[in-house]
Amino acid sequence: MKRFFAVLHARNLEFLRDRSALAWNIILPFFIVLGFAFAFSGGPRDLFKVGVYRGNPSEQSDIAFLKTKYVQFIPVDNLQTAQRKVEHHQLDMLLDVGPPTRYWINTDSPNGYVLEQMLRGSGAETFERNALTGREVRYVDWLAPGIFAMNMMFSCLFGIGYVIVRYRKNGVLKRLKATPLGAFEFLTAQVVSRMSLIALVTTIVYVGCDLLIDFTMHGSYIMLAFTFTLGAVCLISLGLLTAARFASEEFAGGVLNVLTWPMMLLSGVWFSLEGTHPWVQKIAQIFPLTHVVNAARAIMLDGAGFVEVLPQLLVLGVMSAVFLGLAAALFRWE
Amino acid sequence: MPAIIEVCDLVKHYPKVQAVNGVSFAIEPGICFGLLGPNGAGKTTTIEMMEGIQKPTSGSIFYKQQPLGRQFRNEAGIQFQHTALPDFLTVKDALRLFHSLYPRSADLEQLVDLCNLRELLSRDARKLSGGQRQRLLLGIALVNDPSVLFLDEPTTGLDPQARRNFWELIRATKARNKTIILTTHYMEEAYTLCDEIAIMDHGRVIARGTPNALLQQHFKHVFLRLPRADFSVPLENFPFTVFESDGYVEIQALDVNESIALLLKNNVPLTRLEIRPPSLEDLFLELTGKALRM
């Protein structure tokens, strides 16, 4: 344990004394969240979104409302999930094409009111009306879990992968290999150091942003911390796997970019994957970041508990075990 | 006295290169053993196999009659030819880090004084001069109070004063009853520090023994050196072996008195005459027929 704590302490010193990297880790996500909060602080966007349950909007020719222009009709499979989205203003209306034909609107939503008038005007007076209430989930509320997870991803992959490759290239690993320090002790110290720093940075950014923006948080903070911790373990393991063999920082940087860019764009950090092409949604499932973002969003926006996010946690657990196992098997000091 | 380290028929092949080709020797405890040779001779590969950093293609290495293992890791101190430390660590942080990695450890305060590091303790390790950095790396190599200390070209790149200061540190370390294994391509350094040397070339040991014994074994003469301008005798008419290079002539003289008498007889001025004993560099030239490749 003495060796483990010595390496852990050295790595922590290295990170904390690298002021530019530390500042970047805190300031970047902080300004992204604040920037989006400012950019989307005006009125609701013009686009109407209607969830359609038990029907395909493009084939449902008997309901005239479904042919309305400038309204996005999104097929939904789960009625409860869709109702919660209406409560959070993520859907402006939910339509069940029946039988019985019925619809749900949020009585606090101006868009819901307008859509209800349009629905009735299209000859659907007989549809059963259901009213829901609930605070609007702003884009920044929806975005924040993704930003936290994305920042974590960069910190895990570059903070672990890139640093180990640099250590290997400049001979630090070779020097450590000449001591009684084992590979497991060294790698564990790197993981724990990065985990601690991510916890510190994420907490600072979360609390800072929350004081300014007042996030929606319906779930448990412990559950959220657990999800982010498991996500960090998974992403750090991926970083270790990336760094297992390479000795070129340029090549490792390229590999890390190949990993991070698709995750950043296709894991649902910036926009919902609902309504995207099915293959995009399938590809997104192979990214650990997708599962971290989905679980964190479910906890923060829907108040999801352990059982609700268990599928995402299981996927992250399995991915962590696979990445870590491969990283340990492939790791070379030189 | 049993050897502290024994190397038996060590071979290392890289693709297209045979770096080490059947090297064997044993090192007694408490001595400074020099592994000499030009760049590419195989000395760094040999020492890295002895350190357990590289695996030999074939052959064996024993530390205290046992194959290299945990005991060796705990009791060996190593200073690599090229190495780096984690960034943003001060000299004190770096010493503490490595001090914590070993089950047995030297007194850090004594070590700081031994390596002249007290003034540098709060300095960022990346901002040290060449000599200061080598002193820190030596300090790190000594943090576990090692029984055997490997120094791979520790003075390469240092200015003459820093090199001599480092020699003093090595002498002080040796006085603490450490076995030192040193590689260098500075023959003067080897002659000054080493009790025993092995000269390598093309992956093989081509000579081994104490520096003086090797010189006595291979040389019976001394060298008389004169500027070429002062040496008016045709080289081919002089009855001793004479070499000419860099504007000087060097006479291999078995009998100095006889040689000087001959020079005087030929009216050669002796004002700028130098007489020197053979050096390890001469030995290398003698053994390999070529100058040292740096």
Side-chain angles (χ1 to χ4, degrees), chain A residues 14 17 166 174-175 177, chain B residues 48 53 78 87-88 93:
Chain A
E14 198 178 353
R17 286 177 183 167
R166 178 160 51 84
K174 181 180 171 184
R175 185 63 192 83
K177 184 189 178 186
Chain B
E48 288 198 347
I53 297 297
I78 296 173
D87 291 341
F88 296 98
D93 294 331

Side-chain angles (χ1 to χ4, degrees), chain B residues 4-62:
Chain B
I4 190 164
I5 288 194
E6 191 173 359
V7 167
C8 304
D9 203 19
L10 213 53
V11 172
K12 181 70 180 180
H13 291 172
Y14 295 114
K16 298 181 182 175
V17 179
Q18 186 150 355
V20 176
N21 189 12
V23 166
S24 299
F25 51 77
I27 300 169
E28 287 181 21
I31 69 163
C32 180
F33 181 88
L35 204 52
L36 316 184
N39 285 340
K43 56 188 192 301
T44 292
T45 305
T46 302
I47 203 172
E48 288 198 347
M49 287 190 283
M50 293 168 71
E51 291 161 350
I53 297 297
Q54 293 199 45
K55 282 189 178 172
T57 306
S58 65
S60 315
I61 303 161
F62 299 97

